[in-house]
Amino acid sequence: MILAAGQGTRVRPLTKNVPKPMVPILGKPVLEYLIEHLARFGIREIMINVAFNHYKIENYFGDGHRWGVEIGYSYEGGREYGDIVPKALGSAGGMRKIQDFGGFFDDTTLVICGDAIIDLDIRAALDEHRHKGALASVVTLDVPRDQVQNYGVVVTDEESRVQSFQEKPRPEEAKSTLASTGIYIFEPEVLDLVPPKQEFDIGSQLFPLLVEQGKPFFAQKRFFNWIDIGRLTDYWSVLQRVLRGEVAQMDMPGNEVRQGVWVGLNTSIAWDSVQIVGPVYIGSNVRIEPGASIIGPTWIGHGSHIRAGARVERSILFEYTRVGEGMRFSEKILSPQYCVDRSGETLYVGDEHSPLRWGDARG
């Protein structure tokens, strides 16, 4: 199961019009990388719980046949005053809804949050879960102590049995440096502990219940890439890493026309009078006028327009973004509607107090 019903409030405005799992990395939704990874390990049946902007997930992935899997969807919401309103049931509540409806979780189930890219050895994780006779397992990653305040921390005994949790503790108060990655393995009996038809969370409610009742609940300490986009600062950092080629199995699209410069189809670029320093990706139908500078790592989405004399460095431009003549954008996430810096501060088009000018390249 992939959890995809949340609102993604910590990465707004990126999620203003799209669900968080649909936020793009190298032009592909995060959720697509997850589905591809599951398919590589022979997982063929995938349920996704959806709520906010659910149709954007469903329209993109359909029944899953393009990825060699079968995908089902569980919508969370209801009718209020004549309108259909999304209402997430929490990670565990969403699972219970699926189970009560059709009994999908009749075997060992892998549960993954839909807002991270992973290269976890799923087969090894399942083998460890079964070898220990676990009813539930949480996959953890050891993080530096000065970063524990960004995560839910798992405290275990010498046999890796879960003892307690700390939610984003201060480094000096942390009892562990094992961060929960939002990857879980459950046996069907776990869902008997989840009350039906109400909001219920895996981390804050189900896990403490498993500990309290002394169930065989274990943490797995694994070494793998876990690229989380829980916050806006994470998203900017992840894209910088990807563009620098630091993440395996994530190749740049387009053709490499110069060292570190990849270009899509049908672009209009004044090559003799622009400065482009890679790594840079320039999407299809992008126009870059004379005197512009593009300094990587930078991603320029398709249909964008960089006006004369503009400078864009270490930034991400979503599709159809126009950068005004002579403007300077550094370490920004830019769309036709908004501009976000790496700390999360947001400006919107038309803000009279901003010296920056940008907009929609389609207009």
Side-chain angles (χ1 to χ4, degrees):
M1 179 178 177
I2 299 176
L3 303 170
Q7 295 188 57
T9 53
R10 290 188 299 162
V11 289
R12 285 180 178 167
L14 304 186
T15 52
K16 183 178 180 181
N17 297 311
V18 297
K20 189 176 179 183
M22 294 300 290
V23 171
I25 303 284
L26 293 190
K28 281 170 50 174
V30 170
L31 184 54
E32 186 168 358
Y33 290 103
L34 277 176
I35 290 172
E36 289 174 341
H37 187 65
L38 294 174
R40 278 194 288 270
F41 280 87
I43 294 174
R44 296 289 176 259
E45 296 179 352
I46 301 171
M47 283 296 298
I48 304 176
N49 68 329
V50 294
F52 302 92
N53 287 308
H54 65 99
Y55 63 93
K56 296 193 175 182
I57 294 176
E58 295 166 16
N59 290 349
Y60 187 93
F61 292 100
D63 61 9
H65 73 275
R66 285 181 293 162
W67 295 270
V69 300
E70 186 176 358
I71 298 176
Y73 303 94
S74 175
Y75 177 74
E76 297 176 11
R79 186 181 296 275
E80 294 183 9
Y81 305 106
D83 296 324
I84 301 299
V85 178
K87 185 178 181 181
L89 288 170
S91 46
M95 292 184 68
R96 181 62 193 256
K97 179 178 186 287
I98 292 169
Q99 185 70 355
D100 288 344
F101 185 85
F104 177 75
F105 302 108
D106 58 356
D107 202 347
T108 304
T109 299
L110 179 71
V111 180
I112 302 178
C113 291
D115 59 358
I117 295 172
I118 62 171
D119 63 359
L120 175 71
D121 186 337
I122 293 174
R123 190 169 294 108
L126 289 170
D127 286 346
E128 180 176 335
H129 172 84
R130 289 167 175 146
H131 177 74
K132 290 181 175 177
L135 192 68
S137 297
V138 53
V139 176
T140 67
L141 200 62
D142 205 4
V143 299
R145 181 165 289 274
D146 62 0
Q147 295 180 20
V148 293
Q149 69 269 23
N150 298 321
Y151 305 103
V153 168
V154 183
V155 182
T156 67
D157 63 16
E158 293 179 355
E159 297 180 346
S160 298
R161 194 165 184 137
V162 177
Q163 301 296 297
S164 62
F165 302 90
Q166 289 181 290
E167 184 61 27
K168 300 178 180 177
R170 290 188 294 185
E172 63 273 16
E173 297 175 350
K175 299 178 182 178
S176 166
T177 55
L178 295 179
S180 171
T181 62
I183 304 172
Y184 320 118
I185 304 173
F186 293 134
E187 296 302 318
E189 298 91 321
V190 169
L191 290 178
D192 294 337
L193 301 175
V194 180
K197 298 181 180 179
Q198 69 181 64
E199 187 174 341
F200 207 76
D201 183 66
I202 289 175
S204 63
Q205 293 174 282
L206 178 59
F207 280 174
L209 198 57
L210 287 166
V211 172
E212 179 186 326
Q213 296 189 9
K215 302 293 185 182
F217 177 24
F218 293 88
Q220 296 189 14
K221 182 179 177 181
R222 299 216 155 265
F223 300 96
F224 65 103
N225 284 310
W226 174 48
I227 303 172
D228 180 33
I229 57 164
R231 301 162 299 168
L232 270 171
T233 51
D234 296 329
Y235 182 70
W236 184 86
S237 298
V238 164
L239 274 167
Q240 294 294 297
R241 287 180 56 198
V242 169
L243 289 166
R244 288 195 297 263
E246 297 175 2
V247 182
Q249 299 179 347
M250 298 189 73
D251 299 323
M252 295 285 270
N255 296 310
E256 190 173 11
V257 298
R258 296 181 179 180
Q259 185 175 0
V261 179
W262 288 263
V263 177
L265 298 175
N266 200 46
T267 57
S268 176
I269 303 171
W271 289 106
D272 293 336
S273 57
V274 298
Q275 179 191 28
I276 301 180
V277 180
V280 168
Y281 171 74
I282 301 169
S284 66
N285 275 66
V286 166
R287 179 188 299 274
I288 302 178
E289 294 183 1
S293 297
I294 314 295
I295 310 299
T298 290
W299 171 278
I300 301 177
H302 66 259
S304 293
H305 183 185
I306 313 299
R307 297 291 304 277
R311 182 181 177 89
V312 177
E313 56 183 336
R314 296 188 302 279
S315 295
I316 296 98
L317 273 63
F318 288 162
E319 59 270 16
Y320 300 112
T321 299
R322 185 188 70 249
V323 173
E325 185 173 349
M327 291 290 104
R328 301 290 190 267
F329 288 88
S330 179
E331 299 189 345
K332 298 289 194 294
I333 301 168
L334 202 61
S335 87
Q337 295 83 35
Y338 57 78
C339 172
V340 187
D341 68 18
R342 58 181 299 182
S343 68
E345 184 175 345
T346 304
L347 297 171
Y348 291 92
V349 166
D351 186 338
E352 295 180 356
H353 302 290
S354 171
L356 300 174
R357 292 292 175 262
W358 80 99
D360 195 318
R362 294 167 292 187

mmCIF file with all atom_site columns, all heavy atoms in Angstrom, residues 37-51:
data_model
loop_
_atom_site.group_PDB
_atom_site.id
_atom_site.type_symbol
_atom_site.label_atom_id
_atom_site.label_alt_id
_atom_site.label_comp_id
_atom_site.label_asym_id
_atom_site.label_entity_id
_atom_site.label_seq_id
_atom_site.pdbx_PDB_ins_code
_atom_site.Cartn_x
_atom_site.Cartn_y
_atom_site.Cartn_z
_atom_site.occupancy
_atom_site.B_iso_or_equiv
_atom_site.pdbx_formal_charge
_atom_site.auth_seq_id
_atom_site.auth_comp_id
_atom_site.auth_asym_id
_atom_site.auth_atom_id
_atom_site.pdbx_PDB_model_num
ATOM 1   N N   . HIS A 1 37 ? 9.899  1.058  -8.399  1.00 0.00 ? 37 HIS A N   1
ATOM 2   C CA  . HIS A 1 37 ? 10.733 0.284  -7.480  1.00 0.00 ? 37 HIS A CA  1
ATOM 3   C C   . HIS A 1 37 ? 9.995  -0.957 -6.989  1.00 0.00 ? 37 HIS A C   1
ATOM 4   O O   . HIS A 1 37 ? 10.574 -2.051 -6.919  1.00 0.00 ? 37 HIS A O   1
ATOM 5   C CB  . HIS A 1 37 ? 11.148 1.161  -6.304  1.00 0.00 ? 37 HIS A CB  1
ATOM 6   C CG  . HIS A 1 37 ? 12.149 0.517  -5.395  1.00 0.00 ? 37 HIS A CG  1
ATOM 7   N ND1 . HIS A 1 37 ? 13.426 0.203  -5.799  1.00 0.00 ? 37 HIS A ND1 1
ATOM 8   C CD2 . HIS A 1 37 ? 12.045 0.091  -4.097  1.00 0.00 ? 37 HIS A CD2 1
ATOM 9   C CE1 . HIS A 1 37 ? 14.082 -0.374 -4.802  1.00 0.00 ? 37 HIS A CE1 1
ATOM 10  N NE2 . HIS A 1 37 ? 13.273 -0.449 -3.766  1.00 0.00 ? 37 HIS A NE2 1
ATOM 11  N N   . LEU A 1 38 ? 8.729  -0.811 -6.653  1.00 0.00 ? 38 LEU A N   1
ATOM 12  C CA  . LEU A 1 38 ? 7.941  -1.965 -6.229  1.00 0.00 ? 38 LEU A CA  1
ATOM 13  C C   . LEU A 1 38 ? 7.867  -3.014 -7.336  1.00 0.00 ? 38 LEU A C   1
ATOM 14  O O   . LEU A 1 38 ? 7.999  -4.215 -7.083  1.00 0.00 ? 38 LEU A O   1
ATOM 15  C CB  . LEU A 1 38 ? 6.536  -1.520 -5.825  1.00 0.00 ? 38 LEU A CB  1
ATOM 16  C CG  . LEU A 1 38 ? 6.429  -0.630 -4.583  1.00 0.00 ? 38 LEU A CG  1
ATOM 17  C CD1 . LEU A 1 38 ? 5.006  -0.144 -4.395  1.00 0.00 ? 38 LEU A CD1 1
ATOM 18  C CD2 . LEU A 1 38 ? 6.911  -1.367 -3.338  1.00 0.00 ? 38 LEU A CD2 1
ATOM 19  N N   . ALA A 1 39 ? 7.670  -2.556 -8.563  1.00 0.00 ? 39 ALA A N   1
ATOM 20  C CA  . ALA A 1 39 ? 7.573  -3.486 -9.698  1.00 0.00 ? 39 ALA A CA  1
ATOM 21  C C   . ALA A 1 39 ? 8.872  -4.256 -9.895  1.00 0.00 ? 39 ALA A C   1
ATOM 22  O O   . ALA A 1 39 ? 8.847  -5.444 -10.270 1.00 0.00 ? 39 ALA A O   1
ATOM 23  C CB  . ALA A 1 39 ? 7.201  -2.722 -10.968 1.00 0.00 ? 39 ALA A CB  1
ATOM 24  N N   . ARG A 1 40 ? 10.009 -3.604 -9.646  1.00 0.00 ? 40 ARG A N   1
ATOM 25  C CA  . ARG A 1 40 ? 11.298 -4.292 -9.793  1.00 0.00 ? 40 ARG A CA  1
ATOM 26  C C   . ARG A 1 40 ? 11.426 -5.476 -8.844  1.00 0.00 ? 40 ARG A C   1
ATOM 27  O O   . ARG A 1 40 ? 12.144 -6.430 -9.130  1.00 0.00 ? 40 ARG A O   1
ATOM 28  C CB  . ARG A 1 40 ? 12.458 -3.309 -9.564  1.00 0.00 ? 40 ARG A CB  1
ATOM 29  C CG  . ARG A 1 40 ? 12.807 -2.462 -10.769 1.00 0.00 ? 40 ARG A CG  1
ATOM 30  C CD  . ARG A 1 40 ? 14.149 -1.759 -10.598 1.00 0.00 ? 40 ARG A CD  1
ATOM 31  N NE  . ARG A 1 40 ? 14.081 -0.684 -9.628  1.00 0.00 ? 40 ARG A NE  1
ATOM 32  C CZ  . ARG A 1 40 ? 13.781 0.578  -9.931  1.00 0.00 ? 40 ARG A CZ  1
ATOM 33  N NH1 . ARG A 1 40 ? 13.505 0.915  -11.181 1.00 0.00 ? 40 ARG A NH1 1
ATOM 34  N NH2 . ARG A 1 40 ? 13.747 1.507  -8.998  1.00 0.00 ? 40 ARG A NH2 1
ATOM 35  N N   . PHE A 1 41 ? 10.732 -5.423 -7.707  1.00 0.00 ? 41 PHE A N   1
ATOM 36  C CA  . PHE A 1 41 ? 10.794 -6.520 -6.742  1.00 0.00 ? 41 PHE A CA  1
ATOM 37  C C   . PHE A 1 41 ? 9.611  -7.477 -6.881  1.00 0.00 ? 41 PHE A C   1
ATOM 38  O O   . PHE A 1 41 ? 9.342  -8.277 -5.983  1.00 0.00 ? 41 PHE A O   1
ATOM 39  C CB  . PHE A 1 41 ? 10.860 -5.960 -5.317  1.00 0.00 ? 41 PHE A CB  1
ATOM 40  C CG  . PHE A 1 41 ? 12.244 -5.505 -4.933  1.00 0.00 ? 41 PHE A CG  1
ATOM 41  C CD1 . PHE A 1 41 ? 12.671 -4.219 -5.215  1.00 0.00 ? 41 PHE A CD1 1
ATOM 42  C CD2 . PHE A 1 41 ? 13.124 -6.379 -4.313  1.00 0.00 ? 41 PHE A CD2 1
ATOM 43  C CE1 . PHE A 1 41 ? 13.949 -3.806 -4.872  1.00 0.00 ? 41 PHE A CE1 1
ATOM 44  C CE2 . PHE A 1 41 ? 14.403 -5.972 -3.967  1.00 0.00 ? 41 PHE A CE2 1
ATOM 45  C CZ  . PHE A 1 41 ? 14.817 -4.684 -4.251  1.00 0.00 ? 41 PHE A CZ  1
ATOM 46  N N   . GLY A 1 42 ? 8.909  -7.387 -7.979  1.00 0.00 ? 42 GLY A N   1
ATOM 47  C CA  . GLY A 1 42 ? 7.852  -8.349 -8.247  1.00 0.00 ? 42 GLY A CA  1
ATOM 48  C C   . GLY A 1 42 ? 6.547  -8.081 -7.543  1.00 0.00 ? 42 GLY A C   1
ATOM 49  O O   . GLY A 1 42 ? 5.657  -8.941 -7.538  1.00 0.00 ? 42 GLY A O   1
ATOM 50  N N   . ILE A 1 43 ? 6.402  -6.905 -6.930  1.00 0.00 ? 43 ILE A N   1
ATOM 51  C CA  . ILE A 1 43 ? 5.131  -6.553 -6.290  1.00 0.00 ? 43 ILE A CA  1
ATOM 52  C C   . ILE A 1 43 ? 4.161  -6.102 -7.374  1.00 0.00 ? 43 ILE A C   1
ATOM 53  O O   . ILE A 1 43 ? 4.437  -5.164 -8.120  1.00 0.00 ? 43 ILE A O   1
ATOM 54  C CB  . ILE A 1 43 ? 5.330  -5.461 -5.230  1.00 0.00 ? 43 ILE A CB  1
ATOM 55  C CG1 . ILE A 1 43 ? 6.167  -6.025 -4.079  1.00 0.00 ? 43 ILE A CG1 1
ATOM 56  C CG2 . ILE A 1 43 ? 3.986  -4.943 -4.716  1.00 0.00 ? 43 ILE A CG2 1
ATOM 57  C CD1 . ILE A 1 43 ? 6.554  -5.006 -3.036  1.00 0.00 ? 43 ILE A CD1 1
ATOM 58  N N   . ARG A 1 44 ? 3.047  -6.767 -7.487  1.00 0.00 ? 44 ARG A N   1
ATOM 59  C CA  . ARG A 1 44 ? 2.123  -6.530 -8.601  1.00 0.00 ? 44 ARG A CA  1
ATOM 60  C C   . ARG A 1 44 ? 0.786  -5.932 -8.179  1.00 0.00 ? 44 ARG A C   1
ATOM 61  O O   . ARG A 1 44 ? 0.065  -5.393 -9.009  1.00 0.00 ? 44 ARG A O   1
ATOM 62  C CB  . ARG A 1 44 ? 1.866  -7.858 -9.345  1.00 0.00 ? 44 ARG A CB  1
ATOM 63  C CG  . ARG A 1 44 ? 3.123  -8.423 -10.013 1.00 0.00 ? 44 ARG A CG  1
ATOM 64  C CD  . ARG A 1 44 ? 3.527  -7.577 -11.213 1.00 0.00 ? 44 ARG A CD  1
ATOM 65  N NE  . ARG A 1 44 ? 4.778  -8.027 -11.828 1.00 0.00 ? 44 ARG A NE  1
ATOM 66  C CZ  . ARG A 1 44 ? 5.956  -7.460 -11.652 1.00 0.00 ? 44 ARG A CZ  1
ATOM 67  N NH1 . ARG A 1 44 ? 6.049  -6.405 -10.862 1.00 0.00 ? 44 ARG A NH1 1
ATOM 68  N NH2 . ARG A 1 44 ? 7.037  -7.912 -12.245 1.00 0.00 ? 44 ARG A NH2 1
ATOM 69  N N   . GLU A 1 45 ? 0.419  -6.034 -6.916  1.00 0.00 ? 45 GLU A N   1
ATOM 70  C CA  . GLU A 1 45 ? -0.876 -5.516 -6.463  1.00 0.00 ? 45 GLU A CA  1
ATOM 71  C C   . GLU A 1 45 ? -0.642 -4.355 -5.498  1.00 0.00 ? 45 GLU A C   1
ATOM 72  O O   . GLU A 1 45 ? -0.047 -4.532 -4.434  1.00 0.00 ? 45 GLU A O   1
ATOM 73  C CB  . GLU A 1 45 ? -1.684 -6.619 -5.771  1.00 0.00 ? 45 GLU A CB  1
ATOM 74  C CG  . GLU A 1 45 ? -2.051 -7.761 -6.710  1.00 0.00 ? 45 GLU A CG  1
ATOM 75  C CD  . GLU A 1 45 ? -2.839 -8.852 -6.010  1.00 0.00 ? 45 GLU A CD  1
ATOM 76  O OE1 . GLU A 1 45 ? -2.965 -8.795 -4.762  1.00 0.00 ? 45 GLU A OE1 1
ATOM 77  O OE2 . GLU A 1 45 ? -3.329 -9.758 -6.690  1.00 0.00 ? 45 GLU A OE2 1
ATOM 78  N N   . ILE A 1 46 ? -1.072 -3.175 -5.886  1.00 0.00 ? 46 ILE A N   1
ATOM 79  C CA  . ILE A 1 46 ? -0.810 -1.959 -5.117  1.00 0.00 ? 46 ILE A CA  1
ATOM 80  C C   . ILE A 1 46 ? -2.117 -1.210 -4.875  1.00 0.00 ? 46 ILE A C   1
ATOM 81  O O   . ILE A 1 46 ? -2.830 -0.878 -5.828  1.00 0.00 ? 46 ILE A O   1
ATOM 82  C CB  . ILE A 1 46 ? 0.178  -1.034 -5.859  1.00 0.00 ? 46 ILE A CB  1
ATOM 83  C CG1 . ILE A 1 46 ? 1.508  -1.750 -6.125  1.00 0.00 ? 46 ILE A CG1 1
ATOM 84  C CG2 . ILE A 1 46 ? 0.414  0.251  -5.068  1.00 0.00 ? 46 ILE A CG2 1
ATOM 85  C CD1 . ILE A 1 46 ? 2.450  -0.977 -7.043  1.00 0.00 ? 46 ILE A CD1 1
ATOM 86  N N   . MET A 1 47 ? -2.409 -0.942 -3.619  1.00 0.00 ? 47 MET A N   1
ATOM 87  C CA  . MET A 1 47 ? -3.523 -0.070 -3.274  1.00 0.00 ? 47 MET A CA  1
ATOM 88  C C   . MET A 1 47 ? -2.967 1.296  -2.878  1.00 0.00 ? 47 MET A C   1
ATOM 89  O O   . MET A 1 47 ? -1.936 1.387  -2.211  1.00 0.00 ? 47 MET A O   1
ATOM 90  C CB  . MET A 1 47 ? -4.336 -0.634 -2.108  1.00 0.00 ? 47 MET A CB  1
ATOM 91  C CG  . MET A 1 47 ? -5.276 -1.769 -2.485  1.00 0.00 ? 47 MET A CG  1
ATOM 92  S SD  . MET A 1 47 ? -6.593 -1.282 -3.632  1.00 0.00 ? 47 MET A SD  1
ATOM 93  C CE  . MET A 1 47 ? -7.470 -0.053 -2.664  1.00 0.00 ? 47 MET A CE  1
ATOM 94  N N   . ILE A 1 48 ? -3.646 2.353  -3.322  1.00 0.00 ? 48 ILE A N   1
ATOM 95  C CA  . ILE A 1 48 ? -3.259 3.722  -2.979  1.00 0.00 ? 48 ILE A CA  1
ATOM 96  C C   . ILE A 1 48 ? -4.463 4.410  -2.358  1.00 0.00 ? 48 ILE A C   1
ATOM 97  O O   . ILE A 1 48 ? -5.538 4.457  -2.977  1.00 0.00 ? 48 ILE A O   1
ATOM 98  C CB  . ILE A 1 48 ? -2.794 4.507  -4.221  1.00 0.00 ? 48 ILE A CB  1
ATOM 99  C CG1 . ILE A 1 48 ? -1.654 3.781  -4.937  1.00 0.00 ? 48 ILE A CG1 1
ATOM 100 C CG2 . ILE A 1 48 ? -2.372 5.909  -3.830  1.00 0.00 ? 48 ILE A CG2 1
ATOM 101 C CD1 . ILE A 1 48 ? -1.210 4.451  -6.231  1.00 0.00 ? 48 ILE A CD1 1
ATOM 102 N N   . ASN A 1 49 ? -4.298 4.926  -1.127  1.00 0.00 ? 49 ASN A N   1
ATOM 103 C CA  . ASN A 1 49 ? -5.398 5.722  -0.575  1.00 0.00 ? 49 ASN A CA  1
ATOM 104 C C   . ASN A 1 49 ? -5.225 7.170  -1.034  1.00 0.00 ? 49 ASN A C   1
ATOM 105 O O   . ASN A 1 49 ? -4.116 7.701  -1.073  1.00 0.00 ? 49 ASN A O   1
ATOM 106 C CB  . ASN A 1 49 ? -5.471 5.606  0.949   1.00 0.00 ? 49 ASN A CB  1
ATOM 107 C CG  . ASN A 1 49 ? -4.298 6.249  1.657   1.00 0.00 ? 49 ASN A CG  1
ATOM 108 O OD1 . ASN A 1 49 ? -3.192 6.294  1.132   1.00 0.00 ? 49 ASN A OD1 1
ATOM 109 N ND2 . ASN A 1 49 ? -4.526 6.746  2.868   1.00 0.00 ? 49 ASN A ND2 1
ATOM 110 N N   . VAL A 1 50 ? -6.320 7.782  -1.444  1.00 0.00 ? 50 VAL A N   1
ATOM 111 C CA  . VAL A 1 50 ? -6.280 9.125  -2.027  1.00 0.00 ? 50 VAL A CA  1
ATOM 112 C C   . VAL A 1 50 ? -7.353 9.993  -1.390  1.00 0.00 ? 50 VAL A C   1
ATOM 113 O O   . VAL A 1 50 ? -8.338 9.495  -0.848  1.00 0.00 ? 50 VAL A O   1
ATOM 114 C CB  . VAL A 1 50 ? -6.484 9.078  -3.563  1.00 0.00 ? 50 VAL A CB  1
ATOM 115 C CG1 . VAL A 1 50 ? -5.318 8.384  -4.250  1.00 0.00 ? 50 VAL A CG1 1
ATOM 116 C CG2 . VAL A 1 50 ? -7.799 8.384  -3.922  1.00 0.00 ? 50 VAL A CG2 1
ATOM 117 N N   . ALA A 1 51 ? -7.148 11.301 -1.487  1.00 0.00 ? 51 ALA A N   1
ATOM 118 C CA  . ALA A 1 51 ? -8.142 12.249 -0.981  1.00 0.00 ? 51 ALA A CA  1
ATOM 119 C C   . ALA A 1 51 ? -8.036 13.548 -1.763  1.00 0.00 ? 51 ALA A C   1
ATOM 120 O O   . ALA A 1 51 ? -8.723 13.741 -2.759  1.00 0.00 ? 51 ALA A O   1
ATOM 121 C CB  . ALA A 1 51 ? -7.978 12.473 0.529   1.00 0.00 ? 51 ALA A CB  1
#
